[in-house]
Structure formats: structure tokens, C-alpha cells
């Protein structure tokens, strides 16, 4: 039952809404994190400047923290009602105790909500790796190809 709920949750149309929210959050983050040089000082070339929750100037991180519970609840909060609307709940309740149905619905909702909640962070990480593929783990020699992962002032 858990496997079926997870499969139907991952194949739901609601992931399109999560994808659109992810793109909007990341666009806002990059639009506000990398201002024109005459407005804000240019940040050091660092891997974390491209990630949500690590950039100093980006507003996408604040929006992400506000939207995070809504993303998780949008995907994971409707598992039980999806079972009811599809008509499977009546068939399941005749064969399975109610506490097991509630447990599996809560567990699958927790897993799906967690996956929806970390989607913007994972996409942000992939974009950061694409932008800065060559990096050192600690600050060293800066040139055009290597950027520090951890700044000496952090």
C-alpha cells in the first residue's frame, strides 16, 4: 500500500506546480543575488553564492523558507483524500485495519512532502555545480578556473 501511494504521489500533476514554484524561487534568487555592480559590492566568486540559503543578498532564500511548508503540504497532505476520491479507500478499509491505513498515509505523505520541500535546494545545488564546477575545498589560489568552496572569513 505504501509503494502504491508513493508511486501515485510521484506521478501526480502536483509536481508540475512544485517545478514552477522552484523555477520562480530560483529566478528570484538569482535576480536579487547578483545585482548590478553599482548597486552592491561584487561578492567573491564562491560556490555558495549560487545556492539557496547561503547567498548573502538573494531574496529567494526568504521566499523559499516561507513557501517550504506549503510545498510539503501541497504534495504530502492529500494522500488520504486522494485514496478516498479514487474509490480505493472503501476497498482498502475492508481488508486493512484503519490504523495501518493512517500510518501508511502519514508515512507516504511525510516522504512526499520532504521530497517536495528539498526540490528547490537540490535544483539550486545542481545549478551551482554547473556554474562553478572547478573549486577547492578551502580558500587557496584564486584564478579563472578554481573557486573556493569555503571562504577564509566564513
Amino acid at each position: 500500500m505504501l509503494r502504491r501511494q508513493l508511486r501515485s504521489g510521484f506521478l501526480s500533476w502536483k509536481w508540475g506546480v512544485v517545478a514552477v514554484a522552484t523555477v520562480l524561487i530560483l529566478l528570484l534568487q538569482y535576480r536579487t543575488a547578483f545585482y548590478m555592480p553599482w548597486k552592491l559590492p561584487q561578492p567573491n566568486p564562491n560556490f555558495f553564492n549560487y545556492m539557496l540559503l547561503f547567498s548573502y543578498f538573494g531574496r529567494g532564500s526568504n521566499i523559499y523558507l516561507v513557501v517550504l511548508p506549503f510545498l510539503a503540504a501541497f504534495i504530502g497532505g492529500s494522500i488520504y483524500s486522494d485514496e478516498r476520491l479514487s474509490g480505493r479507500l472503501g476497498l482498502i478499509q475492508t481488508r486493512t485495519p484503519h490504523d495501518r491505513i493512517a500510518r501508511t498515509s502519514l508515512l507516504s505523505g511525510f516522504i512526499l512532502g520532504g521530497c517536495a520541500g528539498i526540490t528547490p535546494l537540490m535544483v539550486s545545488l545542481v545549478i551551482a555545480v554547473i556554474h562553478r564546477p572547478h573549486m577547492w575545498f578551502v580558500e587557496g589560489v584564486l584564478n579563472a578556473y578554481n573557486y573556493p568552496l569555503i571562504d577564509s572569513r566564513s
Side-chain angles (χ1 to χ4, degrees), residues 17-125:
V17 175
V18 171
V20 168
T22 298
V23 168
L24 291 175
I25 289 170
L26 292 179
L27 285 176
L28 180 67
Q29 174 73 13
Y30 292 127
R31 187 82 166 166
T32 57
F34 300 107
Y35 274 141
M36 280 38 131
W38 62 84
K39 291 185 179 178
L40 285 174
Q42 185 68 26
N44 289 333
N46 191 340
F47 178 76
F48 288 128
N49 288 338
Y50 288 90
M51 287 197 58
L52 283 176
L53 303 179
F54 287 100
S55 177
Y56 297 117
F57 304 118
R59 292 292 154 227
S61 296
N62 296 336
I63 298 297
Y64 168 69
L65 290 175
V66 170
V67 173
L68 173 64
F70 297 108
L71 286 177
F74 183 67
I75 295 292
S78 63
I79 300 297
Y80 190 79
S81 66
D82 288 343
E83 293 282 343
R84 181 183 298 170
L85 290 175
S86 69
R88 289 185 301 208
L89 188 61
L91 299 172
I92 293 171
Q93 283 179 336
T94 59
R95 295 176 281 152
T96 309
H98 184 68
D99 60 338
R100 184 169 176 217
I101 295 171
R103 258 187 283 136
T104 57
S105 296
L106 287 173
L107 181 61
S108 62
F110 179 77
I111 292 170
L112 289 170
C115 290
I118 65 167
T119 299
L121 288 177
M122 292 298 113
V123 172
S124 174
L125 175 67

Side-chain angles (χ1 to χ4, degrees), residues 136-143 147-148 150:
W136 301 98
F137 275 109
V138 292
E139 186 176 17
V141 178
L142 284 177
N143 57 32
Y147 294 92
I150 300 171

